């Protein structure tokens, strides 16, 4: 695969959320507002980048049988870095994201890329893969959280956009997240099927 | 849709029953309740009903046109869904609530699953629950009948929930609909009239309504405010949306079990969930949630109560 394709496949063709359906749990939970969505996306991008690089570097030293625990340790290291940094410099965002930042450790997207890609490919490919997948995840979060924040709260990035609009609270609640992703997936599948 | 599975042997008698005929008959059976609603709540109720029905039919037509399916807006099912959405709204809601409710009912409740016969949940109740979660203040803003100046008044069940004591409404007032409530649920007399017509025509059976209502009656009698057997069961039967739900929404062919045994289980389940929500839950009324939850369980009930096909799976002695 060409380097360009490694980079772009995560954004459209193999989008981790809309196509691979990975990492849906934090995805649905934090997509209430755009700022949370962006924060989560960037955190996941950083962890993905770090873990993909390290795992790709040491992929020939990790024993086959205990590879998953090894990946988890590496991922957890980066998650700890993200969590402590966020708590130090962005305390409000850290509070809003809550438990979902430490939970990136068990995010299927991060572990999935480690197992399916970084452990089999060289450093440069893994780097491009992580960037592409991370951007794909962040963009998907941006789309869903924008829909949910506008419909569920009447705001975008905390700014009121309509003067006379009564938001449908359901979109800020868990059922709204499932409705939005379900309808979006149905729409995208239909578009792709053609 | 044309059915090509003709079996031609004996000279059969062709029944005049069809989906569209059933849908229009059920709509007609709701006519007394519709009339009562317009009589009790005036122009506001009429406007909400008209908006709901138009929105519901338009949504069905647009989605079927966009997905290139045959347009079946005249089979009465969209009309009935629109009417039931309106029946589940308080008379004070603005027109756009009725429109959004119907769009959600047809769009998310029905067409997303593939149209009539494919939906898991009762479409009208999907619309109602969506509105309840989205705009709770509109959906719990009731007025008394014959009061047209938007003075809000809680429903008997809301009073019961908040003050823990029975409101001062006579059974006759409840039976005739002289109380606060949703447009279609208040006049029990008119609803029962329509239900009797449907029962007489054989379009609905008594299994679901009777087991549903009997379970609510029994449980509310048993778990009364001052100990076992002190509950006012008649008040619970006549208030809220129980009669509307039990006869017209729980009996929806698509979303209820097929066998008699399954239907009785379905009714009892609805009754238990309704009572639990009314007596111990956060909401004053739970009929809509009860029916939706049991809709979700329906495939399991059907699987569990499957009848044995004659000659197969004979038990070994």
């Amino acid at each position: 695969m060409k380097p360009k394709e490694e980079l772009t496949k995560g954004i459209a063709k193999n989008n981790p959320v809309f196509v691979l359906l990975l990492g849906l749990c934090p995805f649905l939970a934090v997509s209430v507002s755009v700022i949370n969505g962006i924060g989560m996306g960037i955190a996941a991008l950083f962890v993905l980048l770090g873990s993909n690089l390290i795992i790709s570097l040491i992929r020939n030293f990790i024993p086959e049988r205990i590879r998953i625990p090894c990946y988890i340790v590496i991922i957890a290291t980066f998650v700890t870095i993200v969590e402590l940094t966020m708590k130090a410099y962005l305390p409000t965002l850290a509070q809003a994201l809550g438990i979902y930042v430490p939970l990136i450790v068990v995010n299927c997207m991060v572990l999935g890329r480690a197992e399916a890609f970084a452990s089999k490919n060289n450093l440069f490919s893994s780097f491009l893969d992580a960037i592409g997948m991370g951007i794909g995840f962040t963009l998907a979060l941006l789309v869903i959280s924008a829909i949910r924040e506008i419909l569920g709260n009447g705001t975008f990035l905390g700014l009121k956009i309509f003067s006379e609009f009564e938001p449908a609270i359901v979109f800020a609640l868990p059922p709204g997240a499932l409705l939005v992703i379900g309808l979006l997936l149905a729409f995208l599948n239909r578009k792709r099927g053609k | 849709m044309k059915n090509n599975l003709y079996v031609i042997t004996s000279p059969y008698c062709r029944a005049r029953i069809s989906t569209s005929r059933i849908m229009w008959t059920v709509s007609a059976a709701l006519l007394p309740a519709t009339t009562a609603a317009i009589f009790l709540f005036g122009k506001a109720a009429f406007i909400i009903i008209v908006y709901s029905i138009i929105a519901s039919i338009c949504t069905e037509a647009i989605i079927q046109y966009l997905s290139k399916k045959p347009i079946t807006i005249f089979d009465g099912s969209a009309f009935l869904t629109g009417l039931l959405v309106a029946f589940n709204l308080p008379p004070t809601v603005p027109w756009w609530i009725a429109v959004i409710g119907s769009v959600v009912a047809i769009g998310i409740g029905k067409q997303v699953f593939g149209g009539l016969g494919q939906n898991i949940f009762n479409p009208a109740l999907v619309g109602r629950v969506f509105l309840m979660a989205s705009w709770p203040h509109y959906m719990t803003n009731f007025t008394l009948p014959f009061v047209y100046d938007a003075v809000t008044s809680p429903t008997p069940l809301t009073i019961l929930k908040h003050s823990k004591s029975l409101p001062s409404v006579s059974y006759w007032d409840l039976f005739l609909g002289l109380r606060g409530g949703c447009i279609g649920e208040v006049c029990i007399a008119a609803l029962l009239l329509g239900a009797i017509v449907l029962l007489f025509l054989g379009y609905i059976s008594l299994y679901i309504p009777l087991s549903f209502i009997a379970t609510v009656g029994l449980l509310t009698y048993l778990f009364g405010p001052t100990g076992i057997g002190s509950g006012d069961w008649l008040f619970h039967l006549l208030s809220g949306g129980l009669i509307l739900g039990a006869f017209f929404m729980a009996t929806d062919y698509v979303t209820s079990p097929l066998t008699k045994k399954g239907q009785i289980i379905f009714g009892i389940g609805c009754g238990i969930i309704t009572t639990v929500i009314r007596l111990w839950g956060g909401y004053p009324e739970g009929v809509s949630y009860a029916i939706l939850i049991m809709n979700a369980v329906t495939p399991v009930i059907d699987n569990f109560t499957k009848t044995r096909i004659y000659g197969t799976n004979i038990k070994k002695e």
Side-chain angles (χ1 to χ4, degrees):
Chain A
M1 220 187 256
K2 287 179 211 145
K4 201 182 148 207
E5 282 175 46
E6 297 285 13
L7 184 65
T8 54
K9 71 172 191 286
I11 298 167
K13 203 177 125 217
N14 280 339
N15 188 293
V17 175
F18 291 138
V19 183
L20 306 178
L21 297 183
L22 290 175
L24 281 186
C25 165
F27 179 78
L28 294 173
V30 304
S31 58
V32 181
S33 68
V34 176
I35 193 77
N36 285 6
I38 294 173
M40 185 69 190
I42 290 171
L45 173 68
F46 174 79
V47 173
L48 192 58
L49 191 59
S51 68
N52 255 19
L53 289 181
I54 301 287
I55 289 165
S56 175
L57 274 177
I58 61 169
R59 66 183 188 277
N60 297 326
F61 307 109
I62 300 176
E64 181 74 17
R65 282 190 169 188
I66 55 156
R67 64 188 193 285
I68 301 285
C70 294
Y71 300 159
I72 294 279
V73 170
I74 294 162
I75 296 166
T77 312
F78 284 98
V79 171
T80 313
I81 296 171
V82 168
E83 197 196 348
L84 293 178
T85 314
M86 206 181 262
K87 272 188 181 156
Y89 296 102
L90 300 160
T92 43
L93 184 65
Q95 208 155 31
L97 293 178
I99 186 69
Y100 292 101
V101 175
L103 277 181
I104 299 175
V105 176
V106 285
N107 187 317
C108 329
M109 179 187 70
V110 180
L111 195 59
R113 293 329 288 175
E115 166 77 8
F117 197 90
S119 61
K120 298 181 183 108
N121 288 281
N122 62 31
L123 187 65
F124 186 58
S125 297
S126 301
F127 169 76
L128 292 177
D129 178 74
I131 297 276
M133 286 288 164
I135 291 175
F137 188 70
T138 314
L139 282 179
L141 265 167
L142 196 63
V143 171
I144 299 263
S145 59
I147 295 174
R148 285 186 68 194
E149 190 179 336
I150 291 171
L151 292 179
N153 203 24
T155 58
F156 183 78
L157 278 170
L159 301 167
K160 215 164 172 57
I161 41 171
F162 307 108
S163 52
E164 298 265 329
F165 175 71
E166 299 190 46
I169 301 167
V170 70
F171 287 108
L173 302 173
L178 295 167
L179 273 181
V180 171
I181 183 117
L183 291 174
L184 259 178
L185 285 178
F187 178 75
L188 291 173
N189 276 348
R190 193 178 168 81
K191 282 273 161 233
R192 237 193 346 262
K194 275 177 184 169
Chain B
M1 207 184 288
K2 205 167 179 208
N3 188 359
N4 292 319
L5 296 168
Y6 290 122
V7 181
I8 316 166
T9 47
S10 293
Y12 289 116
C13 180
R14 193 175 265 261
R16 310 181 94 214
I17 197 162
S18 65
T19 307
S20 130
R21 197 180 167 84
I22 293 174
M23 291 298 172
W24 285 116
T25 313
V26 176
S27 304
L30 286 169
L31 199 61
T34 314
T35 318
I38 295 170
F39 178 68
L40 289 167
F41 294 115
K43 212 176 97 191
F46 179 72
I47 291 172
I48 291 169
I49 293 172
V50 169
Y51 269 118
S52 292
I53 291 172
I54 292 175
S56 163
I57 290 177
C58 290
T59 313
E60 177 121 319
I62 291 168
I63 294 179
Q64 284 178 337
Y65 174 76
L66 288 179
S67 56
K68 297 186 179 66
K69 282 183 196 156
I71 293 176
T72 58
I73 52 172
F74 297 110
D75 69 356
S77 66
F79 182 92
L80 181 60
T81 302
L83 188 59
L84 285 173
V85 168
F87 269 29
N88 276 297
L89 299 174
T92 57
V93 295
W95 63 272
W96 53 268
I97 290 264
V99 170
I100 293 176
S102 299
V103 170
V104 169
I106 294 289
I108 295 176
K110 186 169 148 196
Q111 291 295 343
V112 154
F113 294 100
L116 184 65
Q118 312 287 327
N119 47 306
I120 307 172
F121 300 106
N122 186 315
L125 289 178
V126 171
R128 175 190 155 85
V129 167
F130 183 90
L131 295 176
M132 277 291 278
S134 295
W135 294 280
H137 53 289
Y138 282 122
M139 293 298 288
T140 50
N141 190 14
F142 297 99
T143 53
L144 282 174
F146 307 121
V147 179
Y148 304 124
D149 49 0
V151 176
T152 60
S153 154
T155 66
L157 279 173
T158 319
I159 299 172
L160 178 67
K161 181 113 256 167
H162 292 305
S163 67
K164 304 276 176 209
S165 61
L166 285 178
S168 54
V169 184
S170 76
Y171 294 135
W172 271 113
D173 285 352
L174 290 174
F175 188 69
L176 295 174
L178 301 171
R179 60 159 170 106
C182 292
I183 291 174
E185 73 181 20
V186 288
C187 190
I188 307 290
L191 287 170
L192 285 180
L193 191 68
I196 289 168
V197 172
L198 289 183
L199 285 169
F200 180 72
L201 290 171
Y203 285 179
I204 59 173
S205 63
L206 264 179
Y207 297 106
I208 292 175
L210 204 63
S211 55
F212 189 170
I213 294 170
T215 308
V216 172
L218 182 72
L219 289 179
T220 49
Y221 170 71
L222 281 179
F223 298 101
T226 55
I228 299 287
S230 67
D232 189 348
W233 57 276
L234 196 53
F235 169 79
H236 276 281
L237 295 196
L238 293 175
S239 53
L242 180 61
I243 302 294
L244 174 67
F247 281 103
F248 292 97
M249 292 194 288
T251 52
D252 176 23
Y253 293 138
V254 182
T255 54
S256 63
L258 299 166
T259 59
K260 289 174 193 169
K261 211 200 285 178
Q263 291 182 349
I264 292 171
I265 297 173
F266 182 87
I268 293 174
C270 285
I272 293 174
I273 298 169
T274 301
T275 319
V276 166
I277 294 177
R278 277 193 187 178
L279 295 184
W280 299 290
Y283 285 112
E285 171 62 315
V287 169
S288 47
Y289 295 101
I291 296 174
L292 284 175
I293 292 170
M294 291 312 287
N295 283 162
V297 188
T298 295
V300 183
I301 298 175
D302 267 338
N303 207 21
F304 180 67
T305 57
K306 222 181 335 191
T307 48
R308 184 174 67 89
I309 299 165
Y310 187 68
T312 60
N313 294 330
I314 301 162
K315 268 189 195 152
K316 281 177 188 148
E317 295 290 322

